Amino acid sequence: MLFDSLEFAVFLPVVLGVYYCLRQRAQNVFLLIASYFFYGWWDWRFLTLLAVSTVVDFSVGLLLEKTNTAFRRRLLLLVSLATNLGILGFFKYFNFFVDSTAAAFGAIGLSASTPTLRIILPVGISFYTFQTLSYTIDIYRGHLHATRNFVTFSLYVAFFPQLVAGPIERAGRLLPQLERPRTVTTQQFHTGFLFILISLCREVGIAHAAPPLVHRAFANLQGQSPGDLLAGMYLFSFQIYCDFAGYSDIARGCSRLLGVELMENFRQPYLSTSITEFWRRWHISLSTWLRDYIYIPLGGNRRGSLRMYMNLMATMLLGGLWHGASWSFVFWGGLHGSYLIVDRLLGRRFGEEVPGEPSAIRLLKIVGTFHLVVFAWVFFRVTDFGDAWTVASRIATGINSVTLSNLKYVLIYGTPLLALDLLQSYAPRVREWISFPWPVRGIAYGCIVVWILALGNVDGEVPFIYFQF
C-alpha cells in the first residue's frame, strides 16, 4: 500500500493504537506481523522472497559468528551473496539480459527467439536485498555481532516504514533500536507528525501534480518545442526528487511515531555546488552503501589516481544498473561517474565552503550542478536511447527559443519547492519548529494543507517512481 493512500491512513493509526499498548517484545512481534501485512497488501506471493532472504541471512550470520576458518567464512558469505543477488538478478534483470542477448544476435544478423515468460518485479526488492546483504558482510568483516533473536532480525529486514523504498539501513544502526525497549516521547510524536506533513507537501503537492505535465511533454517528442521539452525535464526533476524524498521522509516520520530513528536520506540535493556534493545529499543511504561495499573494496583512492577513476566509474555504473534493468540507466550511472571524475580532475572540492567566496559564485555553482543533474535525468525518464538523444539535442539546439510561457508550470511548482528546501536548509532541526506557540503552528499547518489541496493531484492515484527499482 502507498503512504498517501486511504488504506495507509487507516493502517497507520490502527498500528500505532495497538503498538502503544504493548511491551517491547510484543511490540516487535506485532510490528513484524504488520510489516508483512503491509508488504503483502501489494502481492502476498512475494512474501516468500522476503522470508527466504531473512532465513538465509539470519542463519549465515549465526554460522559466521561460530566459524573461524577463512575458507568456510568465505563460503558462507558466498551463500548469502548468491541467494540474495540470485533472487534480485532473476526478478529484476532476467528480462533485460534476455532482450539484450537477442538484440546482440540481431545486430550480427542472427535471429534469436526470446522466452515468452515476463518476470514481474517485486516492489522494494532492491532495497531490502541491499539491506540484508550489508548485515552478513558486516559480520564477515568483524564489524558486527550476529543477533540471536529471529523475530528482531526479521523485523529489521521487513520494518514497514522503510521496507519498499528505504532508507537502506545498516544493522549496526537499526538493530540496536529494535532490541531495546522503546518509549515514544511527546517530542518524537510531534516531530514525526511534522515530518509526515511536510513530506506530503512534496509528495502530493508536487510529485502527484507533475506527472500529467511531464507525460504531456514527452508523449510526442517530435511534435514538442524545445521549450516544452525543457519544461518537461525540469518538472521531471522536481517529480523524482519530491516523490523519493517525500516518501523517505514520511518513512522517517512514521518510524519516529514508533520510537525508531531512521537515517536522513536526502539533504536538499538540488542546492549542491558540485556533483560530489550532490551524491552526499541525494539518496544518502544508497551512495554510502555503494561507497562502503563496492568503491572501497575495489581499492577506493588508495591505489593511485587512474585506479581511483576506474573504481568511481565502476561504482556508478553498478549504481545505475541498480536503479533499473535498462542500458539507459547504465548510461545515466556512467554519466554521473564522468561528472565525479571531472570533479576530481579539477583538483578542488567545489562542495566545500570556500572562505570569502562571493554568494554569486556559489549560486552559479548551484545552478550549473543542477543543470548537469537535469541533463542526466533525460536518460532516466526516456529509456530509449534514440529518443533520449532526440530530447537532449533538441533542447540544446533550441534553447534560444525557450519562452517564459513554456516555463510557467516550472515556476509554479519550482518556487514553493525552492522555498521549502531553503527553509529546511537554514532551519534543519525539526524540534525548533515545534517550539513555536500552537497558534503559529496551526497557521503553518493550515498553509501546508492548503498547499497540498491547491497544487496537488489529491484524487489521482500516482504510482511511486522508485517502486520500479
Side-chain angles (χ1 to χ4, degrees), residues 55-73:
V55 171
V56 168
D57 287 320
F58 178 76
S59 303
V60 167
L62 290 177
L63 292 172
L64 280 172
E65 195 107 287
K66 299 175 182 177
T67 305
N68 295 321
T69 307
F71 173 75
R72 291 181 179 177
R73 288 175 60 80

Side-chain angles (χ1 to χ4, degrees), residues 93 96 320-321 323-331 379 383-385:
Y93 301 105
F96 169 62
L321 190 60
H323 279 85
S326 167
W327 288 113
S328 62
F329 289 112
V330 177
F331 184 82
F379 301 92
T383 55
D384 180 89
F385 257 129

Side-chain angles (χ1 to χ4, degrees), residues 214-268:
V214 174
H215 177 73
R216 187 171 65 190
F218 294 102
N220 178 16
L221 298 181
Q222 298 298 332
Q224 298 292 349
S225 68
D228 290 334
L229 293 175
L230 180 62
M233 280 316 307
Y234 282 141
L235 289 170
F236 178 71
S237 68
F238 299 162
Q239 177 194 355
I240 195 169
Y241 169 45
C242 292
D243 203 22
F244 197 14
Y247 206 94
S248 294
D249 281 346
I250 292 174
R252 293 179 68 202
C254 292
S255 296
R256 190 166 286 189
L257 295 178
L258 297 167
V260 176
E261 295 290 335
L262 297 181
M263 70 176 294
E264 184 180 24
N265 208 23
F266 288 85
R267 194 180 303 123
Q268 296 81 54

Side-chain angles (χ1 to χ4, degrees), residues 185-222:
T185 65
T186 302
Q187 184 185 70
Q188 281 181 310
F189 189 87
H190 285 167
T191 55
F193 172 76
L194 187 56
F195 260 131
I196 294 172
L197 193 59
I198 292 175
S199 301
L200 284 174
C201 285
R202 288 193 174 97
E203 183 72 28
V204 180
I206 297 176
H208 279 201
L213 301 171
V214 174
H215 177 73
R216 187 171 65 190
F218 294 102
N220 178 16
L221 298 181
Q222 298 298 332

Side-chain angles (χ1 to χ4, degrees), residues 157-391:
V157 178
F159 187 50
F160 78 84
Q162 46 87 229
L163 171 60
V164 297
I168 304 170
E169 283 287 350
R170 308 291 178 86
R173 190 178 187 279
L174 183 56
L175 266 177
Q177 297 186 71
L178 301 178
E179 290 171 340
R180 62 174 179 257
R182 298 177 295 276
T183 301
V184 181
T185 65
T186 302
Q187 184 185 70
Q188 281 181 310
F189 189 87
H190 285 167
T191 55
F193 172 76
L194 187 56
F195 260 131
I196 294 172
L197 193 59
I198 292 175
S199 301
L200 284 174
C201 285
R202 288 193 174 97
E203 183 72 28
V204 180
I206 297 176
H208 279 201
L213 301 171
V214 174
H215 177 73
R216 187 171 65 190
F218 294 102
N220 178 16
L221 298 181
Q222 298 298 332
Q224 298 292 349
S225 68
D228 290 334
L229 293 175
L230 180 62
M233 280 316 307
Y234 282 141
L235 289 170
F236 178 71
S237 68
F238 299 162
Q239 177 194 355
I240 195 169
Y241 169 45
C242 292
D243 203 22
F244 197 14
Y247 206 94
S248 294
D249 281 346
I250 292 174
R252 293 179 68 202
C254 292
S255 296
R256 190 166 286 189
L257 295 178
L258 297 167
V260 176
E261 295 290 335
L262 297 181
M263 70 176 294
E264 184 180 24
N265 208 23
F266 288 85
R267 194 180 303 123
Q268 296 81 54
Y270 288 161
L271 299 181
S272 303
T273 58
S274 71
I275 296 297
T276 299
E277 185 185 4
F278 173 81
W279 280 104
R280 293 185 189 138
R281 293 168 171 255
W282 176 276
H283 203 346
I284 300 169
S285 63
L286 175 64
S287 60
T288 54
W289 199 101
L290 293 173
R291 179 197 66 198
D292 294 343
Y293 298 108
I294 296 180
Y295 176 69
I296 292 177
L298 285 175
N301 58 1
R302 302 188 303 273
R303 300 180 183 178
S305 297
L306 180 60
R307 183 62 180 270
M308 177 185 69
Y309 301 144
M310 293 173 63
N311 294 340
L312 271 175
M313 181 59 73
T315 301
M316 295 309 298
L317 288 172
L318 288 172
L321 190 60
W322 178 90
H323 279 85
S326 167
W327 288 113
S328 62
F329 289 112
V330 177
F331 184 82
W332 173 83
L335 193 55
H336 272 278
S338 301
Y339 290 162
L340 291 171
I341 290 172
V342 170
D343 263 9
R344 299 297 197 280
L345 288 172
L346 289 175
R348 53 179 177 174
R349 297 188 179 277
F350 287 106
E352 297 177 356
E353 289 287 344
V354 178
E357 181 181 57
S359 299
I361 299 298
R362 183 168 180 81
L363 179 60
L364 286 175
K365 291 180 180 179
I366 292 173
V367 172
T369 300
F370 173 71
H371 281 88
L372 288 175
V373 173
V374 170
F375 174 74
W377 283 139
V378 172
F379 301 92
F380 215 86
R381 175 59 178 80
V382 186
T383 55
D384 180 89
F385 257 129
D387 289 343
W389 281 116
T390 296
V391 172

